């Protein structure tokens, strides 16, 4: 395995080297970087030309300029990158740091959501092949896959930002809105749950009544302006997550795993009350410490309760611990929503990744950045989730037809065990390839999304470099995207070996 990894890293290095050389040559030959100064009538034109020539190294041959960039980029191995300066003399390393943090924050979230949603929906459609639910998801998948990114982004700006900001002034629902929304969700839920006609009718009716009651309550108390979460909801959602994760991974009959998961919920709630003073004005380090504490408590709970299922119990409890930490963050963020509205009456801006010169506290700043990431994340997620859904469905259907799956069913194993432990693991092998390419592709695809939403990210850095015939920003973009592609492909290869032991040989 070590030789395989080293060989792949060597090949990847050669690919990056060749790609960087080609991109550098194409960029410097795409135009004249001092054309605007040649046409200028400024008195200090000659000085500006000499200054830009010095910044960009235009007095050197192209191979010297490329070698200078390559030696500076090689220093990134020791975390001391020197990517040169742009045509204005600004260090590209500082520009790259701000741009990469903005873009990666967007791309990582979109990738995680697309993987979770796409794979889950793909499994459901494979299990319920040729059902109404399968046909609807197939239609939506093809729709999202062919959706023009810029068009979807503009629509989201109109309805998700401008009209939402108008609505949040008086966040109430009309009876017609409540009825239509509850009815549509009832139809969707019964399609997912399936069953005979009686079961579908009961599911749709129960969903309609529940959603209608919740929307009426939210409208009556103006919950969207004065929201509340609280310890009770943390407990309820935590218990539901514990039961759901246990049912999926271990089965409800495994009482030891169930008690381990529920103990983790109690431990998470105890951490919430113990650290409530810290959570009112935390730091990122304190939040990470709380996450680590809840995860450790979950692992300890799994070890204590697990018995013969100790490893499984620890895994389930750690997953429940992560959910509890997430719920704690949601509770504190919800509590800061009123403060955000008092500082910013129109919370979702159509331009930028955050509000300039924002003066709020930690949670208000957290929400300000959070609401700005929602719309571009939705755009990127919709495009990716379609691919994950179709590939997962196809892979699952192929695996479900294999002999070992039929054998597992003939042994009397439950459908949960057949799907989760036998079919899903093998279906993940081709999906892993899609994940590796999609992450790197999203960084490049985010250029259009960032331009529509006015994000100062990698897309702007790349576009600025191309327009001004400045290779330094363009090569910085390549360094991040190319390295991401190489690392994700290496991770995919290692994941293959983990999913299928035969590949290790």
């Amino acid at each position: 395995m070590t030789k395989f990894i080293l060989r792949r890293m060597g090949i990847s290095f050669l690919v990056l080297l060749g790609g960087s050389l080609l991109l550098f040559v194409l960029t410097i030959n795409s135009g004249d970087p001092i054309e605007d100064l040649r046409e200028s009538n400024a008195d200090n034109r000659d000085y500006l030309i000499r200054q830009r020539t010095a910044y960009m190294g235009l007095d050197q041959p192209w191979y010297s300029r490329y070698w200078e960039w390559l030696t500076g980029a090689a220093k990134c191995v020791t975390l001391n990158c020197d990517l040169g300066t742009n045509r204005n003399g600004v260090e590209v390393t500082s520009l790259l740091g701000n741009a990469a943090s903005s873009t990666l924050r967007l791309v990582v979230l979109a990738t995680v959501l697309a993987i979770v949603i796409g794979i889950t929906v793909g499994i459901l459609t494979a299990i319920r092949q040729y059902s109404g639910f399968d046909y609807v998801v197939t239609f939506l998948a093809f729709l999202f896959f062919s959706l023009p990114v810029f068009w979807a982004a503009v629509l989201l700006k109109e309805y998700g930002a401008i009209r939402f900001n108008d609505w949040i002034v008086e966040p109430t629902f009309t009876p017609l809105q409540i009825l239509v929304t509850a009815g549509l969700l009832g139809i969707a839920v019964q399609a997912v749950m399936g069953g005979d006609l009686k079961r579908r009718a009961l599911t749709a009716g129960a969903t309609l009544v529940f959603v209608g009651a919740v929307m009426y309550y939210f409208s009556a108390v103006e919950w969207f302006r004065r929201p509340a979460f609280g310890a009770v909801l943390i407990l309820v959602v935590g218990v539901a997550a514990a039961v759901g994760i246990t049912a999926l991974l271990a089965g409800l009959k495994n009482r030891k795993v169930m008690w381990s998961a529920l103990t983790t919920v109690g431990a998470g709630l105890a951490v919430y009350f113990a650290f409530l003073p810290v959570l009112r004005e935390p730091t990122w380090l304190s939040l990470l410490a709380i996450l680590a504490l809840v995860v450790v408590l979950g692992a300890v709970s799994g070890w204590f309760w697990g018995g013969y299922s100790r490893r499984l119990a620890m895994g389930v409890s750690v997953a429940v611990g992560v959910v509890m930490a997430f719920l704690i963050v949601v509770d504190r963020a919800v509590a800061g929503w009123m403060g955000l509205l008092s500082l910013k009456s129109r919370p979702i801006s159509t331009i930028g990744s955050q509000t300039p010169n924002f003066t709020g506290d930690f949670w208000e700043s957290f929400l300000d950045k959070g609401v700005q990431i929602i719309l571009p994340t939705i755009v990127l997620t919709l495009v990716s989730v379609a691919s994950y859904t179709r590939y997962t469905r196809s892979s699952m259907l192929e695996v479900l037809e294999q002999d070992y799956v039929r054998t597992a069913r003939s042994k009397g194993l439950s459908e949960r065990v057949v799907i989760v432990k036998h079919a899903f693991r093998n279906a993940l092998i081709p999906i892993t390839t899609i994940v590796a390419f999609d992450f790197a592709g999203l960084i490049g695809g985010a250029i259009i999304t960032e331009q529509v939403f006015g994000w100062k990210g990698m897309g702007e850095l790349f576009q600025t470099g191309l327009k001004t015939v400045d290779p330094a920003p363009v090569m910085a973009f390549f360094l991040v995207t190319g390295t991401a592609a190489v690392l994700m492909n290496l991770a995919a290869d290692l994941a293959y070996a983990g999913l299928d032991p035969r590949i290790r040989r």
Side-chain angles (χ1 to χ4, degrees), residues 120-247:
T120 302
V121 174
I123 293 173
L124 292 175
T125 53
I127 295 173
R128 303 187 54 207
Q129 186 183 17
Y130 302 134
S131 64
F133 174 69
D134 183 24
Y135 288 128
V136 171
V137 170
T138 300
F139 170 77
L140 292 177
F142 282 115
L143 176 65
F144 293 152
F145 188 78
S146 59
L147 201 65
V149 174
F150 62 89
W151 180 74
V154 171
L155 285 181
L156 279 175
K157 287 178 67 173
E158 173 65 26
Y159 292 98
I162 298 174
R163 299 204 181 187
F164 175 83
N165 290 333
D166 294 337
W167 175 79
I168 199 66
V169 177
E170 293 185 16
T172 57
F173 300 108
T174 65
L176 180 60
Q177 290 173 332
I178 294 175
L179 182 62
V180 171
T181 304
L184 291 176
L185 287 176
I187 295 173
V189 172
Q190 64 84 24
V192 174
M193 300 301 293
D196 54 25
L197 185 60
K198 181 180 179 180
R199 179 179 175 180
R200 287 175 179 269
L202 289 174
T203 302
T207 304
L208 188 149
V209 172
F210 175 76
V211 173
V214 170
M215 290 182 66
Y216 176 79
Y217 171 77
F218 282 175
S219 179
V221 301
E222 292 191 348
W223 188 88
F224 289 96
R225 286 198 68 87
R226 295 181 290 273
F229 201 72
V232 175
L233 271 180
I234 292 178
L235 178 61
V236 171
V237 178
V239 170
V243 174
I245 295 174
T246 302

Side-chain angles (χ1 to χ4, degrees), residues 99-110 373 439 443 450 455 458 480 484:
S101 63
S102 179
T103 297
L104 291 177
R105 188 171 80 237
L106 173 63
V107 171
V108 169
L109 180 59
I373 203 174
F439 181 80
I443 298 179
E450 289 179 1
W455 275 55
M458 297 291 295
V480 174

Side-chain angles (χ1 to χ4, degrees), residues 60-73:
Q60 304 175 26
W62 69 269
Y63 49 84
S64 297
R65 297 170 61 192
Y66 173 73
W67 177 254
E68 184 178 355
W69 175 86
L70 186 62
T71 54

Side-chain angles (χ1 to χ4, degrees), residues 23-363:
L23 184 60
F24 187 88
V25 172
L26 290 175
T27 303
I28 63 176
N29 287 284
S30 62
D32 185 1
I34 56 176
E35 180 180 5
D36 58 323
L37 294 180
R38 296 185 196 278
E39 300 173 354
S40 174
N41 295 321
D43 296 335
N44 61 341
R45 186 191 67 169
D46 294 337
Y47 168 76
L48 294 176
I49 290 177
R50 290 195 302 272
Q51 185 183 54
R52 186 175 296 178
T53 300
Y55 285 149
M56 300 181 65
L58 298 177
D59 55 341
Q60 304 175 26
W62 69 269
Y63 49 84
S64 297
R65 297 170 61 192
Y66 173 73
W67 177 254
E68 184 178 355
W69 175 86
L70 186 62
T71 54
K75 296 179 181 178
C76 292
V77 177
T78 60
L79 302 180
N80 190 27
C81 292
D82 181 13
L83 303 179
T85 60
N86 65 1
R87 69 176 196 164
N88 297 320
V90 180
E91 291 287 339
V92 175
T93 304
S94 61
L95 297 176
L96 178 63
N98 296 328
S101 63
S102 179
T103 297
L104 291 177
R105 188 171 80 237
L106 173 63
V107 171
V108 169
L109 180 59
T111 302
V112 172
L113 289 175
I115 291 172
V116 173
I117 297 173
I119 291 180
T120 302
V121 174
I123 293 173
L124 292 175
T125 53
I127 295 173
R128 303 187 54 207
Q129 186 183 17
Y130 302 134
S131 64
F133 174 69
D134 183 24
Y135 288 128
V136 171
V137 170
T138 300
F139 170 77
L140 292 177
F142 282 115
L143 176 65
F144 293 152
F145 188 78
S146 59
L147 201 65
V149 174
F150 62 89
W151 180 74
V154 171
L155 285 181
L156 279 175
K157 287 178 67 173
E158 173 65 26
Y159 292 98
I162 298 174
R163 299 204 181 187
F164 175 83
N165 290 333
D166 294 337
W167 175 79
I168 199 66
V169 177
E170 293 185 16
T172 57
F173 300 108
T174 65
L176 180 60
Q177 290 173 332
I178 294 175
L179 182 62
V180 171
T181 304
L184 291 176
L185 287 176
I187 295 173
V189 172
Q190 64 84 24
V192 174
M193 300 301 293
D196 54 25
L197 185 60
K198 181 180 179 180
R199 179 179 175 180
R200 287 175 179 269
L202 289 174
T203 302
T207 304
L208 188 149
V209 172
F210 175 76
V211 173
V214 170
M215 290 182 66
Y216 176 79
Y217 171 77
F218 282 175
S219 179
V221 301
E222 292 191 348
W223 188 88
F224 289 96
R225 286 198 68 87
R226 295 181 290 273
F229 201 72
V232 175
L233 271 180
I234 292 178
L235 178 61
V236 171
V237 178
V239 170
V243 174
I245 295 174
T246 302
L248 180 64
L249 300 180
L252 295 178
K253 294 182 179 180
N254 195 328
R255 300 299 182 185
K256 292 184 178 294
V257 176
M258 175 65 76
W259 282 116
S260 171
L262 293 177
T263 301
T264 304
V265 174
L269 202 61
V271 169
Y272 169 76
F273 285 113
F275 288 89
L276 193 57
V278 177
L279 287 168
R280 290 195 175 97
E281 189 57 42
T283 62
W284 285 109
L285 184 61
S286 63
L287 288 181
L288 289 175
I290 291 173
L291 169 62
L293 177 60
V294 177
V295 168
V296 169
L297 290 175
V300 171
S301 172
W303 184 88
F304 178 80
W305 285 104
Y308 63 88
S309 301
R310 180 165 291 164
R311 184 177 177 182
L312 179 59
M314 291 178 68
V316 170
S317 297
V318 167
V320 174
V322 173
V323 173
M324 290 299 295
F326 173 75
L327 292 175
I328 291 173
V329 171
V330 169
D331 172 75
R332 291 294 87 203
V334 166
W337 179 250
M338 286 183 63
L340 176 66
L341 291 180
S342 65
L343 295 173
K344 189 179 176 184
S345 58
R346 299 180 69 83
I348 302 182
S349 303
T350 56
I351 297 295
S353 58
Q354 64 187 70
T355 303
N357 303 319
F358 191 76
T359 58
D361 60 19
F362 177 87
W363 290 114

Side-chain angles (χ1 to χ4, degrees), residues 354-416:
Q354 64 187 70
T355 303
N357 303 319
F358 191 76
T359 58
D361 60 19
F362 177 87
W363 290 114
E364 290 163 354
S365 300
F366 175 84
L367 286 171
D368 177 59
K369 296 177 181 178
V371 295
Q372 295 307 116
I373 203 174
I374 291 175
L375 300 184
T377 298
I378 291 175
V379 174
L380 294 179
T381 302
L382 288 179
V383 175
S384 296
V385 77
S387 300
Y388 288 120
T389 300
R390 298 307 299 167
Y391 277 107
T392 303
R393 179 183 183 275
S394 176
S395 183
M396 281 292 294
L397 287 176
E398 181 179 355
V399 170
L400 289 173
E401 295 297 324
Q402 299 297 318
D403 291 338
Y404 63 85
V405 174
R406 285 192 288 267
T407 302
R409 283 176 172 151
S410 66
K411 288 181 177 180
L413 296 178
S414 66
E415 192 66 13
R416 179 192 63 81

